[in-house]
Each structure stands twice: as structure tokens, then as C-alpha cells.
Amino acid sequence: MSDRALAVVRPGALTTVQDLGRPGHAHLGVPRSGALDVPAAALVNRLVGNQPAAAVLETTLDGCAVRPRATVTVAVGGAPCPVSVDGRPAPWGAPFRVPGGALLDIGAARSGVRAYVAVSGGVAVESVLGSRSTDLLSGLGPPPLTAGAVLPLGRPVGAPARVDLVPQPAPPAELVLRVTLGPREDWFTARAVRTFTTRAYRVSSASNRIGLRTEGPALERALSGELPSEGMVLGAVQVPPDGHPVVFLADHPTTGGYPVLAVVRPADLPAAAQAAPGTPVRFVAVRHR
Amino acid sequence: MTVRALPVGDRALLVELDSGEAAQALHAELLRRRAAGALTVREIVPAARTVLLDGLDEPGRLAAELPGWEVPPVATRTQEAIEIPVRYDGPDLPDVAALWGVPETEVARIHSAADFRVAFCGFAPGFGYLTGLPPAYDVPRRPTPRTAVPAGSVALAGPYTGVYPRASPGGWQLIGTTDVVLWDHTRVPASLLSPGARVRLVPVTGRGDGAVGPS
């Protein structure tokens, strides 16, 4: 067989197809979705000669295994992990060839959470509203990978990058998130705001593509009651009634009724995507630009 | 117009108004300005009493300008309405009739007499929060949400009417059913309803009795 496709052998805990997402449809209730660690996805695409908008695989903690039906160029980045082709070690963070029919195995993350796997030509599943991303909140896009599924690949458009190894940021030992306070800071007591910006939190194991959940001191409200639904942005720190801050990631709902205490700087969100459960988190207040 | 523009991060503004009507009017004005090329923004997301503008280059400048804008009220009854045929056969019809203090048979008449407008979308792709029912007919959510509400269910909560685009859990009061497809990603536009659209619910009886949904 020499058709351009990937057969899924081991889907892993959660492996999804991701690209740059589908921003611009929030007014219809459509989340933006897309790769959580955007720089890692962009890097592996560049390494195999893909355009930045090509779709890649995003794994969660334990990797995945796929069998390309044609010879392809592959690059793996994001969370550091062992990579092998038919049982022989292959590089991480650099492009390599996988012969048609060989087994490409992405092992469990040594640190971090999400590995990104780019294949020359990109994953070419059906596009929905301009994106091939799996959106776990709304169900748009392809379902998460399952054993036996076959993913079509596009035609390669560029040559792989000529590099030995490119530096990538290490997953954070401590996740420091710079935040601007508001828009609903006034829904919290002054003490809660101080607690939020000075105390230590940890990444909760209940985190997912919708939000990075945290464990730590609960934040006390100054106002009770419900906030009428309002629009939500990527990086919004929403505080549900249990008082534990949730940082909205790519599959976040477009509107919500819990007050947003602060918003994380977009540049700090890729690190949030790689912060494993238990990682210490600090929120540092910065001024609006 | 009382306008409060709250910064949301460094690239967004949450514009808060004193009523849902004012939010709808500002939303319409923002769409006009964007269409005219006078406003560059990635997302304009209206909600109950706010409009979120995400992806602005200079949110501070817009925040300063907004209070000086002349915003006309939304034009009512001039825009063509999207018609949705509804069978008033929901399981919560008796509870809603009791809450309204009317016989069950009156619910369809009262509800379908309203001139609805999509105030905003959210919850799921294509789910519109429709306003237009007089405030006397506000109802609470169900005390216990259902784990599965069928697609096409017409439902009430607070001041809103909504139609479930697909099966999902939900706590709204179910009063009817429609066969109209609210969301189809292979269709252009994918969503039947978008914020600002005018909607009429047309009572029908039985399945496939000739009522035609918008194509």
C-alpha cells in the first residue's frame, strides 16, 4: 500500500488532530480550539516542511503509535519523549524518514504533557469551519484517535528543514503565569486577590484542553449571585463557586457565567499546556500594556 | 447609553451595558462599523448585557471612544424573520403552564405570539438565546437538569427561549420540538441562528405537516 494515510495502532490516552483552530466563530458558540502548545506545533510543521496551518497530532502524556502507508517525513516536539521506528530509536526535535508500513511509536512524555507529531503533507481530515482541529467541548472536528482509524495525509509542499536539533523550551518545573487583573476583579474580596497573586497553586489532574484547573487556597467572593453570561477569552481565569481558579485553554466555552478574575498573558499559555498535574503554579499580576 | 468598557487582558474589551436591549443595539452598531471597515476586531461576542471585543490592536483607544458613539435602538419588525415550526408537545408544558398560571393549551399561543430576536449564542454551536417573551413569562430552570435533552427541543429558562441544536444535557424547561436543523457544518452558514436575527416560532401539529423551515 502506498496511499498517503496514517493507520492508528495505539491511540494513547488522548490524541487529537490539531491546527491553528477556528477563531472568528465565537459569536455562534464555536470555541477557537487548535493546538494548545502553538509554538511546538509550528516548530514540528516547519521541521517537516509543512505550512504553519497544517494539522498535526497532539498526544497527552503517553504518546501514540501510527503506521504511515507511504514513506513520510516526521518530526516530534513539545513534551520530550522517546521516539522509535520499528523499535529503533528515532530523533526527537528533528526531522526523520519513516518508510511506508513501518511502526512509528511516540512514547510516554519524560516531562511535560503534550507531544506534537508533524507528518509531511499534514493530516488531511475534513475541515470544519476552516479548521481540522478536534474540539472536545463542542464536538466539532474529527473525533480523538482510536485504534484502527485511518487518517488521510496531504501532499507535501516543502522540503524538510536541514537541522540536527533545534532548541525547545523545557516543560516548566514551576508554571509562572503573568496575569492582568479584571474584568471581574470587583467580584472578589481584596484578600482573595492578594491570595491569588501571592500564594502557591498546583496543576490539578482534572485539567484538560478546556481549562487548566488548579488546587490551592480557595478565593472568596465579595459579591454573591450569578453573573449574566458574558463572552470569554483564551487565558481567562474563571473562578467557579468552589473558589479554585481555572485557566481557559483552546477548547474553552465562548460564554460563561462565573466571574473572570484575571487574564493570563497569551505568551505564557504554551507552558500551561505542558504543565503536568502537580506542577506548582504562581499567578503574577502585571499591569495592562 | 451607559457604557462601561472593561479591559480583558491586553487585546480585548468587555463592554457592559445597562440592559439586554442596549447590548443588542451596540452589537448591531459594532457589526455596521466592522462591515464599513471602521473597526478591526477578530471576535464580536454579544451576551446577556455585554459585548466582548477580542483581538483589538488598541483596546484603550476604543474604550475611550465608545461612550461618545451614537447607537440607534435595534430596528424591530423591519427585518425578515426566520420561521421555525414548533410542535408544542414538550414534557414540561404542564409545569410551564402552572408557572404562567394559564391552561396548558394557552402556552403555545402565548409563546408563539412573541417576536423573538437572537440576543446571543453560546452553550453549543448554533444554540441561540432568544429574547422577546414578556418578563411575566420568565421561568426558572428545572431543579434537576436532564442528562439528555433531544436535538430540536424548544426550551425556556429565565427570560430566554432556546432550541437544542443537538442532544445534550440540559436544565431548561422543554415545551416543544422542531425538525429544523439548527446547526449543520456542511451548510453555509452552518448556524441557522446568529446574534441579531429575528425569529418567529410557528405552531404546527404532528410531524412533517408541510411547515417549511428556512433553507
Side-chain angles (χ1 to χ4, degrees):
Chain A
M1 297 242 272
S2 64
D3 54 330
R4 294 195 56 80
L6 285 181
V8 178
V9 177
R10 179 177 66 84
L14 174 68
T15 301
T16 60
V17 176
Q18 296 297 338
D19 57 16
L20 301 175
R22 43 183 78 80
H25 305 282
H27 63 289
L28 300 176
V30 176
R32 75 161 61 205
S33 193
L36 291 198
D37 185 346
V38 176
L43 175 68
V44 290
N45 266 332
R46 201 160 67 237
L47 289 175
V48 301
N50 284 349
Q51 295 294 308
V56 301
L57 299 181
E58 179 184 279
T59 71
T60 312
L61 292 170
D62 68 347
C64 70
V66 294
R67 203 182 287 280
R69 291 180 169 175
T71 300
V72 292
T73 302
V74 168
V76 182
C81 58
V83 180
S84 69
V85 176
D86 278 341
R88 279 188 287 276
W92 177 90
F96 57 95
R97 302 280 281 175
V98 180
L103 181 68
L104 168 66
D105 192 274
I106 316 303
R110 292 194 176 102
S111 62
V113 179
R114 295 172 173 97
Y116 290 86
V117 185
V119 181
S120 49
V123 178
V125 294
E126 185 199 14
S127 170
V128 175
L129 298 182
S131 168
R132 299 184 163 97
S133 291
T134 299
D135 176 352
L136 294 178
L137 182 76
S138 76
L140 296 184
L145 268 56
T146 51
V150 175
L151 306 175
L153 296 172
R155 294 258 149 230
V157 292
R162 291 167 180 275
V163 291
D164 291 329
L165 190 68
V166 288
Q168 296 191 49
E174 181 192 34
L175 181 62
V176 178
L177 298 175
R178 291 168 295 172
V179 297
T180 51
L181 292 174
R184 298 297 179 189
E185 188 188 344
D186 55 348
W187 276 62
F188 298 88
T189 62
R191 197 165 81 172
V193 175
R194 209 162 47 241
T195 299
F196 173 63
T197 54
T198 55
R199 298 280 296 278
Y201 287 84
R202 275 181 192 282
V203 176
S204 156
S205 58
S207 300
N208 54 26
R209 286 185 41 85
I210 296 164
L212 179 94
R213 292 177 179 276
T214 63
E215 290 162 356
L219 302 176
E220 191 193 3
R221 290 247 200 112
L223 299 173
S224 57
E226 264 182 72
L227 189 63
S229 276
E230 58 190 30
M232 293 284 145
V233 299
L234 183 69
V237 182
Q238 203 189 46
V239 184
D242 69 9
H244 297 116
V246 179
V247 179
F248 273 168
L249 302 179
D251 289 356
H252 71 85
T254 55
T255 58
Y258 298 135
V260 171
L261 170 56
V263 177
V264 175
R265 283 266 166 92
D268 294 348
L269 291 173
Q274 297 296 0
T279 303
V281 185
R282 269 193 306 130
F283 295 96
V284 177
V286 295
R287 294 162 62 91
H288 286 276
R289 279 193 233 259
Chain B
M1 184 174 73
T2 312
V3 179
R4 224 178 129 215
L6 306 167
V8 179
D10 289 325
R11 289 284 177 267
L13 276 185
L14 183 69
V15 187
E16 191 170 34
L17 299 115
D18 42 24
S19 70
E21 291 72 35
Q24 289 183 38
L26 178 68
H27 173 247
E29 177 66 17
L30 288 162
L31 292 186
R32 279 192 290 274
R33 290 187 184 228
R34 180 157 76 171
L39 174 68
T40 305
V41 58
R42 191 177 55 242
E43 310 267 13
I44 301 177
V45 189
R49 284 205 303 263
T50 57
V51 183
L52 173 72
L53 295 149
D54 192 8
L56 290 165
D57 281 338
E58 294 180 87
R61 204 171 98 184
L62 184 62
E65 285 174 6
L66 268 168
W69 284 16
E70 289 284 329
V71 177
V74 274
T76 48
R77 295 180 191 268
T78 52
Q79 187 187 344
E80 202 178 329
I82 296 166
E83 295 200 344
I84 299 181
V86 176
R87 294 185 298 280
Y88 283 88
D89 59 1
D92 300 330
L93 213 53
D95 289 357
V96 169
L99 286 162
W100 287 4
V102 302
E104 243 179 84
T105 49
E106 275 292 278
V107 173
R109 193 189 60 76
I110 293 168
H111 190 252
S112 62
D115 189 31
F116 289 104
R117 190 169 284 272
V118 182
F120 60 100
C121 293
F123 173 62
F127 186 97
Y129 289 77
L130 277 53
T131 54
L133 209 54
Y137 299 112
D138 285 11
V139 295
R141 285 162 194 259
R142 305 286 306 167
T144 309
R146 288 184 170 86
T147 52
V149 172
S153 295
V154 178
L156 303 178
Y160 301 113
T161 291
V163 185
Y164 285 76
R166 56 158 200 245
S168 65
W172 290 31
Q173 310 269 4
L174 310 184
I175 60 167
T177 319
T178 183
D179 295 332
V180 166
V181 177
L182 274 289
W183 175 268
D184 175 358
H185 73 258
T186 63
R187 182 175 69 187
V188 178
S191 185
L192 176 65
L193 305 180
S194 61
R198 198 180 150 207
V199 178
R200 304 267 336 166
L201 301 183
V202 182
V204 295
T205 50
R207 196 171 282 271
D209 66 348
V212 179
S215 52

